[in-house]
Amino acid sequence: MASYSSHLLSLLVFLPAAAAFLGLGARGLGLLRRDVALWYGSLFVTVLTFGLGMMLSPNSEEKYTWIPQLGVSYALSLDGLSVWFVLLTLLVMPIALFASMHAIRDRVAEYCFHMLLLETAVLGSFLAADMFLFYVFWEVMLVPMLFIIGIYGGKERLFASMKFVLFTFVGSACMLVSIMVLVYMHKLQFGVPSSYLPDLLRVHGAIIPSRLLFSAFALAFLIKMPCFPLHTWLPDAHVQAPTAGSVILASLLLKLGGYGLVRIAFPLFPEAAHFFQPLGMALGATAVIYGAWVAIVQTDMKKLVAYSSVSHMGAVVLGLFALNSIAMAGSIAQMISHGFATGGLFLIVGMIYERFHTREIAAFGGLARSMPKMAFFLVLMTFASVALPGTSGFVGEFLILLGAWQTMPVYAGIAALSAIFGAVYMLKWIERILYGQAKSPSLAVDLSHREILILLPFTLGIFWLGLMPGSFFHQLEPSILKMQFFLTTGGYHHG
Amino acid sequence: MVESFAAALFLIGLLGIVLRRTILVMLMSLELMLNAVNLTFVAFGQQQGLLTGQVYVFFTMTIAAAEAAIGLALVIALFRTFRSVDTHAVHGMRE
Amino acid sequence: MQLAFLCFLPFLASIFNGFWYLFAKKPWKMAAGVVSTLALFTSFCLASALAFHDVTFSLPWIATGSFELPFVLRLDHLSSIFVLVITGVGTLIHIYATVYMAHDSGIQKFFAYLSLFCGSMLVLVLGGSLPILFCGWEGVGLCSYLLISFWFDDSEKAKAGAKAFIVNRIGDVGFLLGMFVLFQACGSLDIETLTHAQLSPTTVLIACSLLFFACTGKSAQIPLYIWLPDAMAGPTPVSALIHAATMVTSGVYLVTRLHVLFDAAESLHIVMATVGGVTAFVAATIALVQDDIKKVLAYSTVSQLGYLFLACGVGAYEAAVFHVVTHAFFKALLFLAAGSVIHGMDGEQNMWKMGGLKKAMPVTFATFTLGWLAICGIPPFSGFFSKDEILFHTFTSGHTGLWALGLVTACMTAFYMTRLYIVTFLGTKHTHAHESSWGMLAPLCVLACLSALGGIFGHMISHTLAFHAEAESSQLEWILMLVSACIAGLGIALAFFMYDESRQPIRARIQKQYGWLSTALAHAWYVDEAIDLVLLKPLRQIYGFVWRTIDVLCIDGFIMLLASGGRASGDVLRLIQPGFLHISIACMVMGAFFIMGYMVYGQL
């Protein structure tokens, strides 16, 4: 079983890509002519990948040498930290595919191709243990996303997708330079270049260069998160993207920023992390309030949810830069919770759009009367977003604020105000659309069984993380402890 | 002596590219330059008694063949767009 | 284990009703009420069985690294009292609501929310550590939002719910920050640990001030009381349960639960007592001129809650708990009776349109009378004992000014409640209102008995709580009791004098002379308008400003500037291109020659 499980990770990562090419090729050869076959085929592949993922055991690793002259290895590893992100990915992809079945009508083959390729790229990013490999997957992730937004999106889709790609690219370019410097430094200090992450953790460097390198990494990850003030690509991307694209963007792509900070930036440069801690926490706290304030005045539903994402990821940044174990655990819980809650919100917004073909809040009213099931899910997701105890949002927010208070009470206090402002925009939104008099009653058809099925996993996820997070934190603990080791003792640099 | 002949061929080819207006003739001059280089490689290899020169000729010939194919395809595409094989007619790059 | 059942049964009922509402709309909707009532009644039985024992229930919940937050429920004497009140009075209100809401199309949803509320309230009261208490705290906030905006076809009602939730949330920020301060100082948020920890006076003061701020939100004190009057938009059983008997007492519960900490925060005492006293006074003034039955009762609730914090401020925690219990009895009674009246009058809530209901609704009248006497503080009814104890402790702890304020407020309470009583029930106007069914009247009767006889609980409460040593019953106490009774009697007599039908001209004259005052009072001292002007309008400007100026103008503008800069430089640079193939070739060849020449020249 050992050799089998050691290949499971690669199988997991590349199965969707292989299926993607197969599907496209089959369509090109005229084999899978009906769209339905492609949909269900892709759905099957994603569910199969999910099944494979359930067979994973944490702390598995796979490493082969790839380009010895550059020190690049092909290394995938799964530990308590990445397992939750991987599972989130495996859960979100089938749901996103299932949700787009009715929405995407033409160019279905390319759509399935892009989605499956995206799954591979995201899984690869979460599992990569080699910096070069990580960078490859990070960049590959942009291409299918560009096409998904650019082909299947709204009116201004080309602008939004270009903005998204260029924004992320700037950060990635800086990150690439940092990676190359690190590889070179490893060569200087140990004789051979290597981009394998555990090897790079042994590199020691002077203070100023390591701060610069950290800034480059942080830039890439903060753009991805997104953190104020580098967040303006997100509202445009979300508004123009199709529903499934938004769900994937919110639930998965945004998590990569946080994951990158925890996995790569902080362990490599602990001193720089401490140096930039005030700035990071300030940015996080600002983002929390800023996102909430801007969300209050939005008239487009998707933009409102997009800015709420900015607010939540600001809390994540705050928690991460607090650099203590409570806040870090809270940040990771908040990231997973945000994946559930905001993913669910985008799904619901998509369902509303499919019926009414508008996203303007002012055009709605009285939906709770005609669509009680949707109202239930919407209220649930909303309150999970607002960190109501019992939902996953509370677990994340509470731990973040508790941990952040230990380090810098002022910023934690500011971020706590998000309890008020979050409630303001969320309640304003749902009050406008759910309550009052109905505006277009004939279009308000309640959720079908398929749609309830789509929303169910996120709902269960919210309650699981909110009421029984024991297993979550249990898996996470070794990684958090390792993180603390790096941050407090400076890792291997002084050992 | 062969080397100077090859150099002269190269020069002829170069002048052909710079001075001629027809794209097809420019391609032929390019081939002439490449073959001149081939000749130089073989001549110097023969002079030094090594086979390295002839090995390089293999590479160059392959590349030349591939490049000729692509070049001709480009000429056809160019003709379809600009309706002419005169280089002075091809001036879209500035705008 | 039974403790867990006690706490979670209402949640199960809520989930059951919720599923029923969403997925199977069968007939027999009234059974939803029965389900919830049975669940809560079972909880009540369990509570009675477990009462006054020390029981703990613990489940692991969050555990990360060294930080542990188990889900702990703890029953002791203090929480027993509250649990009994919640489940007992709650069951009565459930029975009432089953009949009251029988014809509503969303009855299952209503009882799902109501059960969820009771469950959250039980979590709040039984919570063994502050975060668990906070979970219940937020849960009741959520349920009050859902229940206040239950009839959401009217956007005014929907907005009232949002206002309640948001104002509560402002207080919750204080709760969170107070928790963080305590955690940083003590390392644990378990209530047992906190009460036995050695904390510096500053820490305790800061934490308790923050927690008190949270209490002003939940228990409707100045400055966060503004949600309670608007919350009357919800159905009457909601007002009775949430805003009379249970949720609004959460703040008092928190203070009493952490009374060891609050005792140590010396400077906070006078603040708490003053806030309580002033709230009681101001709310009573507003209640003097309200025309809507429920609004009168709402402001009276705010006023009585002020008494509770006055008691806590002077250290009379047992008196506060006693008043919580009696207030639950008579305020729930008053609200339910008001609901009966509104039901009988087919939805009319303005008391000037009523009158003479004594004959038309005799049982309601009788029960309301008992509740009226209790709230006015007439001996030997329960309200008298509890209010008197608070005033006694206020006087003996030296706060004579606050005592006088409390006395004046008591007088006003008697006055406006009698006003309500006279205008609604006495006189001869309406006789065609119909009496409510026995489903609604039975709880009223039970509550009436409790309001009348509840005075006996006082001794029991201070005996079981045993926070401070019991003082001897002194002569001063009897004198003050007499004073309180006389003041109450004075208020009632004044009201009878003013609102007798023959005194209309006197009233008209007073109205003309002091019209400005009565308008100000009718608009609740224009507090809502002031907040809107000073706080909300500028905030909205700020939000718009942040969006338009910072996001669109600065950040996006900067990005667009970079983008157009890139494009502009491209426009300039492309002019370098000759555009002609032959020129490019010539340049390339010349360049090659230069490079070669340079290399050859270097060799030479």
Side-chain angles (χ1 to χ4, degrees), chain A residues 159 163 231-232 290 294 307 329 369 373 386 389 401-402 405-406 419 435-437 466-467 473, chain C residues 22 61 63-64 67 138 142 152-153 158 165 169 180-181 183-184 543 547 551 555-556 560:
Chain A
F159 170 72
K163 197 171 176 185
H231 64 282
T232 46
Y290 179 87
V294 178
Y307 278 109
R369 185 62 67 196
K373 295 189 187 108
V386 179
L401 291 175
L402 190 63
W405 182 272
Q406 312 277 317
Y435 300 149
Q437 292 303 313
L467 297 172
F473 286 113
Chain C
L22 284 178
W61 188 35
T64 162
F67 176 70
E138 290 263 317
L142 167 73
F152 51 74
D153 293 311
F165 190 75
R169 272 269 165 149
F180 298 153
V181 170
F183 181 75
Q184 194 172 33
Y543 303 147
W547 160 237
D551 208 75
I555 302 183
D556 255 352
M560 290 307 173

Short mmCIF file of all heavy atoms in Angstrom, two decimals, chain A residues 159 163 231-232 290 294 307 329 369 373 386 389 401-402 405-406 419 435-437 466-467 473, chain C residues 22 61 63-64 67 138 142 152-153 158 165 169 180-181 183-184 543 547 551 555-556 560:
data_model
loop_
_atom_site.label_atom_id
_atom_site.label_comp_id
_atom_site.label_asym_id
_atom_site.label_seq_id
_atom_site.Cartn_x
_atom_site.Cartn_y
_atom_site.Cartn_z
N PHE A 159 -12.56 43.31 -19.66
CA PHE A 159 -11.87 44.24 -18.78
C PHE A 159 -11.60 43.60 -17.44
O PHE A 159 -10.49 43.65 -16.90
CB PHE A 159 -12.72 45.50 -18.62
CG PHE A 159 -12.24 46.41 -17.57
CD1 PHE A 159 -11.09 47.16 -17.74
CD2 PHE A 159 -12.93 46.53 -16.38
CE1 PHE A 159 -10.64 48.01 -16.75
CE2 PHE A 159 -12.48 47.38 -15.39
CZ PHE A 159 -11.34 48.12 -15.57
N LYS A 163 -7.97 42.74 -15.85
CA LYS A 163 -7.59 43.37 -14.58
C LYS A 163 -7.15 42.31 -13.59
O LYS A 163 -6.11 42.43 -12.93
CB LYS A 163 -8.79 44.15 -14.05
CG LYS A 163 -8.46 45.15 -12.99
CD LYS A 163 -9.71 45.98 -12.72
CE LYS A 163 -9.45 46.94 -11.59
NZ LYS A 163 -10.66 47.67 -11.21
N HIS A 231 -7.12 45.44 -3.54
CA HIS A 231 -8.28 44.56 -3.66
C HIS A 231 -9.18 44.87 -4.84
O HIS A 231 -10.14 44.17 -5.06
CB HIS A 231 -9.14 44.69 -2.40
CG HIS A 231 -9.70 46.06 -2.28
ND1 HIS A 231 -8.96 47.13 -1.83
CD2 HIS A 231 -10.91 46.55 -2.62
CE1 HIS A 231 -9.71 48.20 -1.88
NE2 HIS A 231 -10.90 47.88 -2.34
N THR A 232 -8.90 45.95 -5.58
CA THR A 232 -9.93 46.45 -6.49
C THR A 232 -10.20 45.53 -7.67
O THR A 232 -11.17 45.74 -8.38
CB THR A 232 -9.55 47.83 -7.04
OG1 THR A 232 -8.20 47.80 -7.44
CG2 THR A 232 -9.76 48.88 -6.00
N TYR A 290 -13.05 48.83 6.07
CA TYR A 290 -13.20 49.41 4.74
C TYR A 290 -14.18 48.58 3.90
O TYR A 290 -15.10 49.11 3.28
CB TYR A 290 -11.83 49.46 4.07
CG TYR A 290 -11.84 50.01 2.68
CD1 TYR A 290 -11.74 51.37 2.47
CD2 TYR A 290 -11.94 49.17 1.59
CE1 TYR A 290 -11.73 51.88 1.20
CE2 TYR A 290 -11.95 49.69 0.32
CZ TYR A 290 -11.84 51.04 0.13
OH TYR A 290 -11.84 51.54 -1.14
N VAL A 294 -17.73 50.05 2.46
CA VAL A 294 -18.04 50.15 1.04
C VAL A 294 -19.20 49.24 0.68
O VAL A 294 -20.01 49.57 -0.18
CB VAL A 294 -16.79 49.80 0.21
CG1 VAL A 294 -17.11 49.84 -1.27
CG2 VAL A 294 -15.68 50.77 0.51
N TYR A 307 -17.34 42.77 -1.65
CA TYR A 307 -16.71 43.60 -0.63
C TYR A 307 -16.79 42.95 0.74
O TYR A 307 -15.93 43.18 1.59
CB TYR A 307 -17.33 44.99 -0.62
CG TYR A 307 -16.74 45.89 -1.67
CD1 TYR A 307 -17.46 46.26 -2.80
CD2 TYR A 307 -15.43 46.33 -1.56
CE1 TYR A 307 -16.89 47.06 -3.77
CE2 TYR A 307 -14.86 47.12 -2.54
CZ TYR A 307 -15.59 47.48 -3.63
OH TYR A 307 -15.03 48.26 -4.61
N ALA A 329 -4.89 29.76 14.09
CA ALA A 329 -5.93 28.74 13.96
C ALA A 329 -7.24 29.40 13.55
O ALA A 329 -7.98 28.88 12.71
CB ALA A 329 -6.09 27.99 15.28
N ARG A 369 -41.62 35.75 1.12
CA ARG A 369 -42.99 35.26 1.01
C ARG A 369 -43.08 34.20 -0.06
O ARG A 369 -43.71 33.17 0.11
CB ARG A 369 -43.90 36.45 0.69
CG ARG A 369 -45.38 36.18 0.66
CD ARG A 369 -45.95 35.71 1.96
NE ARG A 369 -45.94 36.67 3.02
CZ ARG A 369 -46.12 36.33 4.30
NH1 ARG A 369 -46.28 35.08 4.63
NH2 ARG A 369 -46.12 37.25 5.23
N LYS A 373 -37.69 28.72 1.02
CA LYS A 373 -36.49 27.87 1.15
C LYS A 373 -35.24 28.68 0.87
O LYS A 373 -34.24 28.59 1.58
CB LYS A 373 -36.57 26.69 0.19
CG LYS A 373 -37.70 25.76 0.50
CD LYS A 373 -37.61 24.48 -0.34
CE LYS A 373 -38.83 23.63 -0.13
NZ LYS A 373 -39.74 23.61 -1.27
N VAL A 386 -21.76 36.89 9.21
CA VAL A 386 -21.68 37.90 10.25
C VAL A 386 -21.16 37.31 11.55
O VAL A 386 -21.13 37.98 12.57
CB VAL A 386 -23.09 38.53 10.42
CG1 VAL A 386 -23.13 39.56 11.49
CG2 VAL A 386 -23.51 39.16 9.14
N PRO A 389 -22.66 32.94 16.56
CA PRO A 389 -22.21 31.71 17.22
C PRO A 389 -23.10 30.54 16.82
O PRO A 389 -24.31 30.66 16.71
CB PRO A 389 -22.39 32.03 18.71
CG PRO A 389 -22.32 33.49 18.78
CD PRO A 389 -22.91 34.02 17.52
N LEU A 401 -9.92 37.42 16.70
CA LEU A 401 -9.93 38.61 17.53
C LEU A 401 -9.26 38.35 18.87
O LEU A 401 -8.53 39.19 19.38
CB LEU A 401 -11.37 39.09 17.73
CG LEU A 401 -12.02 39.65 16.47
CD1 LEU A 401 -13.47 39.99 16.74
CD2 LEU A 401 -11.29 40.89 16.01
N LEU A 402 -9.51 37.17 19.42
CA LEU A 402 -8.89 36.84 20.70
C LEU A 402 -7.37 36.84 20.57
O LEU A 402 -6.65 37.42 21.39
CB LEU A 402 -9.39 35.46 21.16
CG LEU A 402 -9.05 35.06 22.59
CD1 LEU A 402 -9.70 36.01 23.56
CD2 LEU A 402 -9.54 33.64 22.84
N TRP A 405 -5.95 40.34 19.84
CA TRP A 405 -5.96 41.21 21.02
C TRP A 405 -4.70 40.99 21.86
O TRP A 405 -4.17 41.91 22.46
CB TRP A 405 -7.20 40.91 21.86
CG TRP A 405 -7.33 41.76 23.07
CD1 TRP A 405 -6.82 41.52 24.30
CD2 TRP A 405 -8.03 43.00 23.17
NE1 TRP A 405 -7.14 42.53 25.17
CE2 TRP A 405 -7.89 43.44 24.50
CE3 TRP A 405 -8.76 43.77 22.28
CZ2 TRP A 405 -8.47 44.63 24.95
CZ3 TRP A 405 -9.33 44.95 22.74
CH2 TRP A 405 -9.18 45.36 24.06
N GLN A 406 -4.22 39.74 21.88
CA GLN A 406 -3.02 39.46 22.67
C GLN A 406 -1.84 40.26 22.14
O GLN A 406 -0.95 40.65 22.87
CB GLN A 406 -2.64 37.98 22.57
CG GLN A 406 -3.79 37.04 22.79
CD GLN A 406 -4.03 36.83 24.24
OE1 GLN A 406 -3.10 36.67 24.99
NE2 GLN A 406 -5.26 36.82 24.65
N ALA A 419 -18.41 43.61 13.72
CA ALA A 419 -19.65 42.97 14.14
C ALA A 419 -20.83 43.88 13.82
O ALA A 419 -21.88 43.43 13.39
CB ALA A 419 -19.60 42.67 15.65
N TYR A 435 -37.85 41.13 2.46
CA TYR A 435 -39.03 41.65 3.12
C TYR A 435 -39.72 42.70 2.26
O TYR A 435 -39.27 43.02 1.17
CB TYR A 435 -38.66 42.23 4.49
CG TYR A 435 -38.04 41.21 5.42
CD1 TYR A 435 -37.10 41.58 6.36
CD2 TYR A 435 -38.39 39.87 5.34
CE1 TYR A 435 -36.54 40.66 7.21
CE2 TYR A 435 -37.81 38.94 6.17
CZ TYR A 435 -36.90 39.34 7.11
OH TYR A 435 -36.33 38.43 7.95
N GLY A 436 -40.78 43.23 2.78
CA GLY A 436 -41.50 44.24 2.03
C GLY A 436 -42.42 43.63 1.00
O GLY A 436 -42.72 42.44 1.02
N GLN A 437 -42.84 44.45 0.06
CA GLN A 437 -43.77 43.98 -0.95
C GLN A 437 -43.02 43.37 -2.12
O GLN A 437 -41.95 43.82 -2.50
CB GLN A 437 -44.61 45.16 -1.45
CG GLN A 437 -45.57 45.68 -0.40
CD GLN A 437 -46.48 44.59 0.10
OE1 GLN A 437 -47.06 43.84 -0.68
NE2 GLN A 437 -46.59 44.44 1.39
N GLY A 466 -19.01 25.07 12.80
CA GLY A 466 -19.48 25.91 13.89
C GLY A 466 -19.74 25.14 15.18
O GLY A 466 -19.48 25.63 16.26
N LEU A 467 -20.27 23.92 15.04
CA LEU A 467 -20.67 23.18 16.23
C LEU A 467 -19.68 22.10 16.63
O LEU A 467 -19.57 21.80 17.81
CB LEU A 467 -22.05 22.54 15.99
CG LEU A 467 -23.18 23.53 15.76
CD1 LEU A 467 -24.43 22.80 15.35
CD2 LEU A 467 -23.44 24.32 17.02
N PHE A 473 -9.58 21.26 14.27
CA PHE A 473 -8.44 21.79 15.01
C PHE A 473 -7.43 20.71 15.35
O PHE A 473 -6.24 20.97 15.47
CB PHE A 473 -8.92 22.49 16.29
CG PHE A 473 -9.57 23.79 16.01
CD1 PHE A 473 -10.91 23.97 16.24
CD2 PHE A 473 -8.84 24.85 15.52
CE1 PHE A 473 -11.52 25.18 15.96
CE2 PHE A 473 -9.43 26.06 15.25
CZ PHE A 473 -10.77 26.23 15.47
N LEU C 22 -40.62 24.37 6.03
CA LEU C 22 -40.02 24.51 4.71
C LEU C 22 -40.44 23.40 3.76
O LEU C 22 -40.61 23.62 2.58
CB LEU C 22 -38.49 24.48 4.84
CG LEU C 22 -37.85 25.75 5.38
CD1 LEU C 22 -36.37 25.56 5.51
CD2 LEU C 22 -38.14 26.91 4.46
N TRP C 61 -15.32 21.42 22.52
CA TRP C 61 -15.80 22.20 21.38
C TRP C 61 -14.62 22.71 20.57
O TRP C 61 -14.31 22.18 19.53
CB TRP C 61 -16.67 23.36 21.89
CG TRP C 61 -17.37 24.11 20.83
CD1 TRP C 61 -17.89 23.60 19.67
CD2 TRP C 61 -17.67 25.49 20.81
NE1 TRP C 61 -18.48 24.58 18.94
CE2 TRP C 61 -18.36 25.77 19.61
CE3 TRP C 61 -17.42 26.55 21.69
CZ2 TRP C 61 -18.81 27.03 19.27
CZ3 TRP C 61 -17.88 27.81 21.35
CH2 TRP C 61 -18.55 28.04 20.15
N ALA C 63 -10.56 23.36 20.54
CA ALA C 63 -9.31 23.10 21.27
C ALA C 63 -8.17 23.26 20.29
O ALA C 63 -7.99 22.45 19.40
CB ALA C 63 -9.31 21.70 21.85
N THR C 64 -7.42 24.35 20.43
CA THR C 64 -6.30 24.54 19.52
C THR C 64 -5.08 24.92 20.32
O THR C 64 -5.07 25.93 21.00
CB THR C 64 -6.62 25.62 18.47
OG1 THR C 64 -5.41 26.05 17.89
CG2 THR C 64 -7.30 26.81 19.10
N PHE C 67 -5.05 26.57 23.88
CA PHE C 67 -6.30 27.25 24.14
C PHE C 67 -7.44 26.26 24.05
O PHE C 67 -7.60 25.57 23.06
CB PHE C 67 -6.50 28.37 23.12
CG PHE C 67 -7.81 29.07 23.26
CD1 PHE C 67 -8.06 29.89 24.33
CD2 PHE C 67 -8.80 28.90 22.31
CE1 PHE C 67 -9.27 30.54 24.47
CE2 PHE C 67 -10.01 29.55 22.43
CZ PHE C 67 -10.24 30.37 23.51
N GLU C 138 -25.81 36.10 21.57
CA GLU C 138 -26.03 36.42 20.15
C GLU C 138 -27.24 35.67 19.61
O GLU C 138 -27.97 36.19 18.77
CB GLU C 138 -24.80 36.01 19.33
CG GLU C 138 -23.58 36.85 19.57
CD GLU C 138 -23.44 37.95 18.52
OE1 GLU C 138 -23.66 37.67 17.33
OE2 GLU C 138 -23.15 39.07 18.92
N LEU C 142 -30.29 37.14 17.53
CA LEU C 142 -30.76 36.66 16.23
C LEU C 142 -32.26 36.41 16.27
O LEU C 142 -33.01 36.85 15.39
CB LEU C 142 -30.04 35.37 15.86
CG LEU C 142 -30.65 34.61 14.69
CD1 LEU C 142 -30.37 35.32 13.40
CD2 LEU C 142 -30.15 33.19 14.63
N PHE C 152 -43.26 40.46 7.99
CA PHE C 152 -42.31 41.29 7.25
C PHE C 152 -42.88 41.91 6.00
O PHE C 152 -42.17 42.55 5.24
CB PHE C 152 -41.05 40.49 6.89
CG PHE C 152 -41.35 39.17 6.23
CD1 PHE C 152 -41.78 39.11 4.92
CD2 PHE C 152 -41.16 38.00 6.92
CE1 PHE C 152 -42.04 37.90 4.33
CE2 PHE C 152 -41.42 36.79 6.34
CZ PHE C 152 -41.85 36.73 5.04
N ASP C 153 -44.16 41.68 5.72
CA ASP C 153 -44.70 42.32 4.53
C ASP C 153 -44.71 43.83 4.70
O ASP C 153 -44.71 44.57 3.72
CB ASP C 153 -46.14 41.83 4.29
CG ASP C 153 -46.13 40.37 3.92
OD1 ASP C 153 -45.33 40.01 3.04
OD2 ASP C 153 -46.92 39.62 4.51
N ALA C 158 -40.05 45.23 9.39
CA ALA C 158 -38.78 44.59 9.07
C ALA C 158 -37.63 45.47 9.56
O ALA C 158 -36.64 44.98 10.09
CB ALA C 158 -38.69 44.35 7.57
N PHE C 165 -31.37 44.23 16.08
CA PHE C 165 -30.17 43.42 15.95
C PHE C 165 -28.92 44.28 15.94
O PHE C 165 -27.92 43.97 16.58
CB PHE C 165 -30.26 42.58 14.67
CG PHE C 165 -29.19 41.55 14.56
CD1 PHE C 165 -29.26 40.41 15.31
CD2 PHE C 165 -28.12 41.73 13.71
CE1 PHE C 165 -28.26 39.44 15.22
CE2 PHE C 165 -27.13 40.77 13.61
CZ PHE C 165 -27.20 39.62 14.36
N ARG C 169 -25.87 44.49 18.53
CA ARG C 169 -24.51 44.20 18.09
C ARG C 169 -23.52 45.24 18.59
O ARG C 169 -22.36 44.93 18.86
CB ARG C 169 -24.46 44.18 16.56
CG ARG C 169 -24.76 42.81 15.99
CD ARG C 169 -23.50 42.06 15.84
NE ARG C 169 -23.68 40.68 15.64
CZ ARG C 169 -22.86 39.92 14.92
NH1 ARG C 169 -21.85 40.48 14.31
NH2 ARG C 169 -23.05 38.64 14.82
N PHE C 180 -11.97 39.77 25.85
CA PHE C 180 -10.55 39.74 25.49
C PHE C 180 -9.69 40.27 26.63
O PHE C 180 -8.64 39.73 26.93
CB PHE C 180 -10.29 40.55 24.22
CG PHE C 180 -11.00 40.03 23.02
CD1 PHE C 180 -11.34 40.88 21.98
CD2 PHE C 180 -11.35 38.70 22.90
CE1 PHE C 180 -12.00 40.41 20.87
CE2 PHE C 180 -12.01 38.22 21.79
CZ PHE C 180 -12.33 39.09 20.77
N VAL C 181 -10.16 41.37 27.25
CA VAL C 181 -9.40 41.93 28.37
C VAL C 181 -9.26 40.89 29.47
O VAL C 181 -8.17 40.66 30.01
CB VAL C 181 -10.10 43.20 28.91
CG1 VAL C 181 -9.46 43.64 30.20
CG2 VAL C 181 -10.04 44.31 27.89
N PHE C 183 -9.48 37.64 29.21
CA PHE C 183 -8.66 36.51 28.80
C PHE C 183 -7.19 36.85 28.90
O PHE C 183 -6.37 36.05 29.33
CB PHE C 183 -9.01 36.10 27.37
CG PHE C 183 -8.23 34.92 26.89
CD1 PHE C 183 -8.52 33.66 27.33
CD2 PHE C 183 -7.18 35.09 25.99
CE1 PHE C 183 -7.81 32.57 26.89
CE2 PHE C 183 -6.45 34.00 25.54
CZ PHE C 183 -6.77 32.73 26.00
N GLN C 184 -6.86 38.10 28.51
CA GLN C 184 -5.45 38.46 28.53
C GLN C 184 -4.94 38.52 29.97
O GLN C 184 -3.81 38.15 30.24
CB GLN C 184 -5.26 39.82 27.86
CG GLN C 184 -3.82 40.08 27.57
CD GLN C 184 -3.66 41.32 26.73
OE1 GLN C 184 -4.43 42.26 26.86
NE2 GLN C 184 -2.67 41.32 25.89
N TYR C 543 -19.73 56.49 4.39
CA TYR C 543 -19.67 55.28 3.57
C TYR C 543 -19.56 55.65 2.09
O TYR C 543 -18.75 55.12 1.35
CB TYR C 543 -20.94 54.42 3.72
CG TYR C 543 -21.27 53.98 5.10
CD1 TYR C 543 -22.58 53.83 5.51
CD2 TYR C 543 -20.27 53.69 6.02
CE1 TYR C 543 -22.91 53.41 6.76
CE2 TYR C 543 -20.59 53.28 7.29
CZ TYR C 543 -21.91 53.15 7.66
OH TYR C 543 -22.23 52.73 8.92
N TRP C 547 -16.44 54.92 -0.48
CA TRP C 547 -16.63 54.19 -1.74
C TRP C 547 -16.21 55.05 -2.91
O TRP C 547 -15.35 54.66 -3.70
CB TRP C 547 -18.09 53.76 -1.82
CG TRP C 547 -18.62 53.41 -3.16
CD1 TRP C 547 -19.69 53.97 -3.78
CD2 TRP C 547 -18.14 52.42 -4.05
NE1 TRP C 547 -19.91 53.37 -4.99
CE2 TRP C 547 -18.97 52.43 -5.19
CE3 TRP C 547 -17.09 51.51 -4.02
CZ2 TRP C 547 -18.80 51.57 -6.26
CZ3 TRP C 547 -16.91 50.65 -5.10
CH2 TRP C 547 -17.75 50.70 -6.20
N ASP C 551 -12.12 54.28 -2.99
CA ASP C 551 -12.06 53.11 -3.85
C ASP C 551 -12.03 53.50 -5.32
O ASP C 551 -11.12 53.17 -6.06
CB ASP C 551 -13.25 52.19 -3.58
CG ASP C 551 -12.91 50.76 -3.89
OD1 ASP C 551 -12.18 50.16 -3.10
OD2 ASP C 551 -13.36 50.26 -4.92
N ILE C 555 -7.85 54.44 -5.54
CA ILE C 555 -7.20 53.16 -5.82
C ILE C 555 -7.39 52.77 -7.27
O ILE C 555 -6.43 52.54 -8.01
CB ILE C 555 -7.73 52.07 -4.88
CG1 ILE C 555 -7.48 52.47 -3.44
CG2 ILE C 555 -7.07 50.76 -5.18
CD1 ILE C 555 -7.91 51.44 -2.45
N ASP C 556 -8.66 52.68 -7.67
CA ASP C 556 -8.90 52.32 -9.06
C ASP C 556 -8.30 53.35 -10.00
O ASP C 556 -7.75 53.02 -11.04
CB ASP C 556 -10.41 52.20 -9.31
CG ASP C 556 -10.82 50.76 -9.42
OD1 ASP C 556 -9.94 49.90 -9.45
OD2 ASP C 556 -12.03 50.51 -9.48
N MET C 560 -5.75 52.64 -12.95
CA MET C 560 -6.04 53.03 -14.32
C MET C 560 -4.96 53.96 -14.85
O MET C 560 -4.60 53.93 -16.03
CB MET C 560 -7.39 53.74 -14.40
CG MET C 560 -8.55 52.83 -14.17
SD MET C 560 -8.45 51.43 -15.28
CE MET C 560 -9.77 50.47 -14.67
#
